[in-house]
Amino acid sequence: MRKDPLRVRLSGRGGQGIILAGTMLAEAAMQDGLKVVQTQSYGPEARLGASKSEVVISSRDIAFPEVLMPDLVLCFSREAYQKFGRHVSPGGVVLLEQSILKDVPDAQGQTLPLRDTARELGKELVLNVVGLAALVAVTEAVSRESLRAALTHRMKAEFLELNVAALEAGFALGEAVASRA
Amino acid sequence: MRKDPLRVRLSGRGGQGIILAGTMLAEAAMQDGLKVVQTQSYGPEARLGASKSEVVISSRDIAFPEVLMPDLVLCFSREAYQKFGRHVSPGGVVLLEQSILKDVPDAQGQTLPLRDTARELGKELVLNVVGLAALVAVTEAVSRESLRAALTHRMKAEFLELNVAALEAGFALGEAVASRA
Amino acid sequence: MPSVGQDLGAYLRQEMMPTVWCPGCGHGIIAQGIAAALKEVGTDLDQVVVVGGIGCSGRTPFYMNTGAMHTTHGRALAFATGLKMARPQLTVIVAMGDGDALAIGGNHFIHAARRNIDLTVVLYNNSIYGMTGGQSAPTTPQGSHSTTTPLGSIEPNFDAPTLAIAAGATFVARSTTFDFQEMPKLIARAIRHPGFSMVEVLSQCPTYFGRLNRLGEAPEMLFLERDQTIPLHDLPPVEITREVLVGKRPIGVFREEAMPEYTQRYRELCAAAGGVYDA
Amino acid sequence: MPSVGQDLGAYLRQEMMPTVWCPGCGHGIIAQGIAAALKEVGTDLDQVVVVGGIGCSGRTPFYMNTGAMHTTHGRALAFATGLKMARPQLTVIVAMGDGDALAIGGNHFIHAARRNIDLTVVLYNNSIYGMTGGQSAPTTPQGSHSTTTPLGSIEPNFDAPTLAIAAGATFVARSTTFDFQEMPKLIARAIRHPGFSMVEVLSQCPTYFGRLNRLGEAPEMLFLERDQTIPLHDLPPVEITREVLVGKRPIGVFREEAMPEYTQRYRELCAAAGGVYDA
Amino acid sequence: MRLIQGNEAVALGAAAAGCDFYAGYPITPATEIMEQMARILPARGGVFIQMEDELSAVAAAIGAAWGGARAMTATSGPGFSLMQEHIGYAAMTQTPCVIVDSQRGGPSTGLPTLPAQGEVMQARFGSHGDRVAITLTASSVLSAYEVTARAFALSETYRQPVIVLLDAVLSHMRENVDLPEITPVPRETAASAQDRQPFGDNPFVPFGEGRRTVVTGLAHDESGLPKTAGGKAVERMLRSLEERLRHDAREITHFQAYRLEDASVALLAYGITARAAHEAVDALRQEGVAAGLLDLQTLWPFPDYLVQEIAERVDTILVPELNLGQYVIAVQAAVQGRCRVVPLGRADGDLFTPEEIAAAAREVQDAKGGIVHA
Amino acid sequence: MRLIQGNEAVALGAAAAGCDFYAGYPITPATEIMEQMARILPARGGVFIQMEDELSAVAAAIGAAWGGARAMTATSGPGFSLMQEHIGYAAMTQTPCVIVDSQRGGPSTGLPTLPAQGEVMQARFGSHGDRVAITLTASSVLSAYEVTARAFALSETYRQPVIVLLDAVLSHMRENVDLPEITPVPRETAASAQDRQPFGDNPFVPFGEGRRTVVTGLAHDESGLPKTAGGKAVERMLRSLEERLRHDAREITHFQAYRLEDASVALLAYGITARAAHEAVDALRQEGVAAGLLDLQTLWPFPDYLVQEIAERVDTILVPELNLGQYVIAVQAAVQGRCRVVPLGRADGDLFTPEEIAAAAREVQDAKGGIVHA
Amino acid sequence: MTEKALQFTQRDRMLTVQRDWCKGCNLCIGSCPAGILSLDDGERIVVEDIERCIFCGVCAARCPDFVFTLARIPEAQMAMGGSQCD
Amino acid sequence: MTEKALQFTQRDRMLTVQRDWCKGCNLCIGSCPAGILSLDDGERIVVEDIERCIFCGVCAARCPDFVFTLARIPEAQMAMGGSQCD
Ligand SMILES: Cc1ncc(C[n+]2csc(CCOP(=O)(O)OP(=O)(O)O)c2C)c(N)n1
Ligand SMILES: Cc1ncc(C[n+]2csc(CCOP(=O)(O)OP(=O)(O)O)c2C)c(N)n1
Ligand code: SF4
Ligand code: SF4
Ligand code: SF4
Ligand code: SF4
Ligand code: SF4
Ligand code: SF4
Ligand SMILES: [Mg+2]
Ligand SMILES: [Mg+2]
């Protein structure tokens, strides 16, 4: 019951690895035999501000490359949620890093302890992989094998092990949510 | 019996003071109460090549500024004669520095010992003034008083005396030709 | 007044905070140094213009509570020259990146120095192009990594003070963002100097230069600055050769010389021509 | 072979004669010096390209019987850099005016020097812009007249060798058009030098600099060159300060140092990356 | 009555309009403007500075404008190309200044001493992004004087860079003229502009007059701050300027209409070419051809209203210009089929003679008829 | 099948076309092209060099071309402005080379990370004098690859600089693609060109291959020598190139026509905007509006023949573009009233959405009719 | 969204901390001679124990983000019984 | 219009004078040790008395306009009895 085209928006602060996450998602979709377009957007002031990476996944050619109304949204930071997380298509899924709730108590979406999970793994930098994996586990946007392959392809060898752990942790988090639903 | 508009072309080698001569002629015509346009042309290669200065003198507004078919032509050098001196309107006057004849025996026009006259005055540099004065004496393109005034206005004080002498020598040369004619 | 950490609130354009700079970027420390120098010099801020080029460093004018001119990449000194000539009573400070000042802007740099016009350049040298994401600069040390020198740079780097002196700058100094006590004082001295002055400040770019060359985070980079420099207390310029210093860059004042300043010379020219410049 | 006045016919592009230069212009003497240097070095002329900027000096390529590239004002070194990198076996000589090289082209000048790329700049320094009719140049001595400094220039001038050395040039020399024996030899030495070399040749522009400053005709100007210079036989660079020489400009070789050359370093980089540069 | 050169007229026109800052770099055929300014300005206490290149010349002029000067620079083709980045900066920062370009034969170094009109499109489209710059041109020494002064006035009114296009012939040509007195446009004082924003349709207040303006080429809004302002603000301000220019089109557009009332062939010419066209009209009329001339002094913003009005009335507009067909594109775009528009270009360094233009006009007249869409 | 970025596709397309020289200067959003080349070229023995600015980057590329390299550079708006003088030099000296400009929001520093199409006219008219430069654009990662390779081929065939226009979105966008093999265009050897002149319609022979060519930006003739050649020779060579380009227009012009056969409203779009226009066409068709799309890849020389043919068949051509109305001027000039031509510009750093374009098309459809000359 | 700056006073000195400008770079933390600075969970600076602060201003000099301001309270205000600074 | 260059030989040396490139600048004249150079009426160089020429080549080195060329005649050609140079 995946939408076709499926429009995904990942968002967070500059430096949180949003673009790499989008690239891995796109690459995984490609592995799944689909067409993909990944775009990104950051303002010049956005080093710490909100940035986003969008992926359109489809079985057919994709004309317009950007996502106007996403089906899946993943937010890592408050600013990102406020700027990019409030819109979602009917029936769409929004996953939020749970600390966003602290700043925006009325935030709409499923919250997950993504950052805490990343920290537990030893490096907050893997937040993007944890989140992406959780999103995939919840929505089955792409196959897990493809995502694993994409991660292996895009990640520098020295960071691979840690990131594979993050991937699995993210899958686990996502499964928990999925079973909750 | 001066033509209106009267189109004058002065030509010579770069460095022979053609443009200054054109400017003085134009200024004299202005003193005579007429409209003038003075233009000039030199190629980038023309430091020693041929250059020209053209003056259109008229009692009415002058539209096209260049001279297509001159009524009066003054040539100081062989190259200038070959490039600019061969065309003149019916009834027009061509004055040539006489040494041009040595290189171009079939040159058409009145020849005058302009350079020798200048040298006799002590500085070949005054060639332009000798020639211009001769042209004015022959053709009465402008009044002599106006030309004297223009010379005084345009010439640096230190060179004035010499140039006034050149002017008078030129007038004398020109008168000789005029009386010959 | 406490000697460090003075109240610079009035010198900063609060509504533009927080800055665009990355966490730990040295540029903010330099900007603070400029503010502190302005405070020390005591000029009326209405009569100060901070001119910036394009680059992370070039954003400095936005944070100064003075006139602010954010210009084009490399050309800040050309704008500043016109500005200063048109209104010589202004104090004009030019904040430029190393790429900005020495790559695309190298010509304006040497010509402003040659004229000895009373501008103060603060050169933010982080050894890399920060704003565009870590490409090599003419200051990138040979062998260093950047996104355009993935195998290490094969180009020798400029030494900004040497170049400035050769071009004619009359006040030339170098400091670091580590040196928070000296650096603002050098900038103040540069501002007071009547003539072209340049203070190069070695700055850390943890995001690119640090990361690509595995130099650690901002605090580690700050200590590297300390370890890789050596104070030269006003040694005469003749002694400044790279060899002498075995890999350490000297910091301090390389040249401070009283020479006729350009707007002053222009004033005299006008007087000679019968005009009154800047009455 | 006679030491002066050798047969340079094969080195000159006869069909372009006579030159555009004014009577007595020193530029022809420098061009002849380049031809003589090429003869001395003995390179195959098919493998030589003379690159010029825009200016009277920039016309030099037209008169050399080599590959000839007449580029844009100030940018000759940028074109030459690409040319040399693309085909490093070429001998590339860059003929530039003082305005061309040091005003609009100052940045390319310091950067080519910094890279230490194997190009030979012959800098035709006539202290003025000849081609455009006598405006001041960054080499115009302070106080001198030009059409844009009718009351005398108020700007200090660059010293080209000092600037070249500060930027990184590894062979730097100065000569004059008076010195018809040394000048071609210096150019030949510069061509042979593997790295960035610069020979500044003081040249006379009787038409503008001479006339506007009442220095007489070409022969007088040539003798002035002799009188206002002083040979420095290979003194170390440290000694070159204007003060020492009380108004006389030193001539000779200021720097000659073996340093890794840029195309060579690039060759090594390619090898490290697995590629073969210039096979 | 004085006999002066086109370039001299530009310098005098600038001085008359209050210009007190010139930064430049020599280049044929514009150099004499600079040489004149080097004499005029110091004697008035104004600033003359020779910069290291054209990039810095126009930058210095912009900087000087922010220092309160009425600033200008002048150049020719190669230098004009180098100035394009900063003309865009001046537009984005709403900086009044004047840029003169005396056109010579191109492309590249081309024909440095010969005339051309090869920069009429570059004046409009030479910078990256969408910048506007009012562009004027002149066809006589007197109009070079007046147009330069007008350029200063327009740059004050619209807070924009204004371009003046000359050519090698006009720059070096001498005519005898009586120069009219000109009163510089007054500037609002900082005090009177007190409560207004520094950008947008608000007065220009230089540095040093009590206001700490932020000037940037980044997207910004009327406050000047780039912080939150995105592209919407830029677009709004650009469109607002466009709107003002359109609204004021009839004042901004200067032109001479000659024998156009009953013309069937209109010559649309500008600058030096208009003079030959003028003579061509007389020659054609003598032969009975109903020719007329629109001699445009304001090239940009394109005077749509004027050209469209003429297009409604004539069969053909013939556009002689010293390039391979540039401004004619704008004419065709404006005319959109209302009449035939015929290009007549040359780019060999010579002027059109009156006869050449007349011959072309005769030819289009003979081939008269509606637009033939091949 | 690979997932690659637009900028990466440009680098790969260049490499596939035989590019062995890159000189550049970093600038967002073109920088990744340079960073890719810094990795690709040394490993192939090609040259990568970071120059001190954009003026020198394109100069080095031109110099390298004369050294026998297939050379390119890439930049964005501010750098593109700085390159204009030398693009003219490349044109005048008939030097094959490729210049990529990834457009970002302008004018001036503008919106450095956001897309625009503000240089479509500058690509044509940005240099002084009359220079021609074939200009291509791309709307997908695959076409960025192909178009870059084609740029190299065209630059060889016509011995001219070729410009490739991208934008910030396409430069940074990733798509999964299969990259086709490309065979570099062969070059004539010096030997085969032996008895031919070095310029004009003759083969390009670099230095060092036995011929001592004179290369100059001054007016020159086919021999290269500026001595006697005046403007006539320049004009002759420029016109001859124009003629060749016109003659070959159908090969040079690449485009995609989508549902144009029976369209009454044609969208004429290029680059990234064509993608939204494509979706807009589908949406409009669903509503019964007979819309179609001309997605142009070759912007210059302007494809008169193609646009005029369409203009004969439709009521309206709507030209959406990310600027305040630039290319539409060329369209209007070509159409000359054959149908209505309606501009649709935006310059705020956002893309047009399909719906925005569809809405504009609906509006023009409703206001259908002949050209209304107000 | 800007938090009000925190203000701490001690005799004639006042330390202002504009926490929402902090980017968590750690530069101040290692330099504080009292060792009283750290980052909170949101990577923002906290002054753990202001009592131990010696009001030396090193944190202000080190911070690239203008988070700290150390000011002297004018005597007049002191006399009025405390901080009126803003 | 180009005059054929003049050629003078002495033992193994040949002096070629391309008179039509001369611009009359006087630079060679004062430098000729033999004092045999002057300008004609048309401001072009003349070698007054070639007999006194010492074939030193200074004129060639001084001339900015490539008017003079001093060459050595290859021995082979000498043997054949004179100049075959061009
Ligand atoms: C003409 C032009 N070329 C290139 C750029 C892109 N650009 C912006 S900043 C920059 C370099 C920044 O490096 P640096 O000057 O060292 O400043 P930093 O960011 O390191 O402080 C470049 C290349 C530009 N804006 N304009
Ligand atoms: C971009 C540009 N600016 C200006 C010029 C005009 N110009 C041509 S040569 C020249 C200066 C020549 O002086 P210099 O380089 O000293 O050479 P010289 O003629 O003295 O040998 C100038 C300003 C130009 N051709 N291009
Ligand atoms: S990129 Fe580097 S220089 Fe720029 S703000 Fe970040 S740390 Fe500072
Ligand atoms: S103007 Fe001066 S530099 Fe140029 S050719 Fe004449 S003398 Fe030589
Ligand atoms: S003022 Fe000194 S002691 Fe107090 S927090 Fe700052 S650095 Fe620490
Ligand atoms: S130095 Fe400043 S930005 Fe960095 S952690 Fe400390 S308070 Fe925060
Ligand atoms: S070769 Fe020597 S002696 Fe003979 S003419 Fe020349 S300078 Fe005089
Ligand atoms: S030096 Fe040359 S140009 Fe000058 S007079 Fe002698 S021969 Fe003639
Ligand atoms: Mg930097
Ligand atoms: Mg010079």
Side-chain angles (χ1 to χ4, degrees), chain D residues 110-121:
Chain D
I110 58 178
H111 279 272
R114 176 176 64 81
R115 290 190 189 98
N116 195 30
I117 182 167
D118 188 18
L119 301 171
T120 297
V121 169

Side-chain angles (χ1 to χ4, degrees), chain B:
Chain B
M1 62 142 287
R2 189 175 52 194
K3 279 205 183 176
D4 186 3
L6 179 73
R7 299 186 168 90
V8 187
R9 177 178 293 162
L10 315 178
S11 65
R13 249 199 336 242
Q16 285 182 320
I18 302 302
I19 291 168
L20 181 57
T23 306
M24 290 189 294
L25 178 63
E27 184 135 340
M30 173 180 86
Q31 299 286 349
D32 287 346
L34 299 166
K35 310 248 176 194
V36 289
V37 182
Q38 180 267 335
T39 58
Q40 50 204 271
S41 144
Y42 50 95
E45 319 289 324
R47 280 228 176 75
L48 283 161
S51 73
K52 64 175 168 156
S53 169
E54 295 173 342
V55 183
V56 183
I57 301 171
S58 176
S59 59
R60 278 159 301 140
D61 281 343
I62 298 157
F64 190 64
E66 295 191 337
V67 170
L68 299 172
M69 186 57 77
D71 304 307
L72 311 182
V73 177
L74 176 62
C75 282
F76 291 135
S77 75
R78 171 177 58 80
E79 303 88 338
Y81 175 73
Q82 287 169 324
K83 212 162 159 195
F84 304 120
R86 293 199 195 273
H87 299 280
V88 66
S89 68
V93 174
V94 179
L95 284 196
L96 306 175
E97 145 58 23
Q98 92 188 353
S99 62
I100 293 174
L101 269 188
K102 226 174 42 183
D103 293 317
V104 195
D106 62 341
Q108 301 282 314
Q110 308 255 23
T111 55
L112 289 175
L114 303 173
R115 194 174 68 188
D116 289 347
T117 307
R119 283 186 182 168
E120 274 161 31
L121 288 163
K123 259 236 185 288
E124 189 167 330
L125 267 182
V126 299
L127 172 67
N128 60 346
V129 172
V130 175
L132 180 61
L135 185 77
V136 166
V138 173
T139 64
E140 285 169 22
V142 295
S143 71
R144 297 192 192 188
E145 306 74 64
S146 294
L147 189 60
R148 268 193 205 100
L151 182 89
T152 314
H153 181 211
R154 291 275 161 181
M155 202 58 77
K156 276 199 185 152
E158 57 184 314
F159 303 124
L160 190 58
E161 196 181 334
L162 175 65
N163 277 283
V164 169
L167 190 81
E168 300 306 334
F171 284 152
L173 268 183
E175 275 158 25
V177 173
S179 62
R180 246 193 280 155

Side-chain angles (χ1 to χ4, degrees), chain D residues 13 24 26 40 49 64 72 74 79 105 107-108 115 119 124-125 132 134 139 148 174 203 216 218 231-232 246 271:
Chain D
R13 196 181 293 269
E40 184 179 327
V49 182
M64 298 286 124
T72 58
F79 288 91
N107 206 29
H108 313 301
R115 290 190 189 98
L119 301 171
Y124 293 51
N125 183 356
T132 42
T139 47
T148 48
R174 180 190 279 136
S203 179
L232 266 195
V246 278

Side-chain angles (χ1 to χ4, degrees), chain E residues 86-103:
Chain E
H86 286 164
I87 297 176
Y89 180 83
M92 188 70 152
T93 55
Q94 298 187 259
T95 308
C97 57
V98 172
I99 297 120
V100 178
D101 170 29
S102 177
Q103 300 163 97

Side-chain angles (χ1 to χ4, degrees), chain H residues 15 28 31-37 47 50 52-60 68 70:
Chain H
L15 184 69
C28 58
S31 305
C32 169
I36 57 174
L37 299 176
V47 184
I50 192 67
R52 282 166 44 215
C53 175
I54 60 170
F55 286 71
C56 63
V58 168
C59 50
F68 303 94
L70 184 68

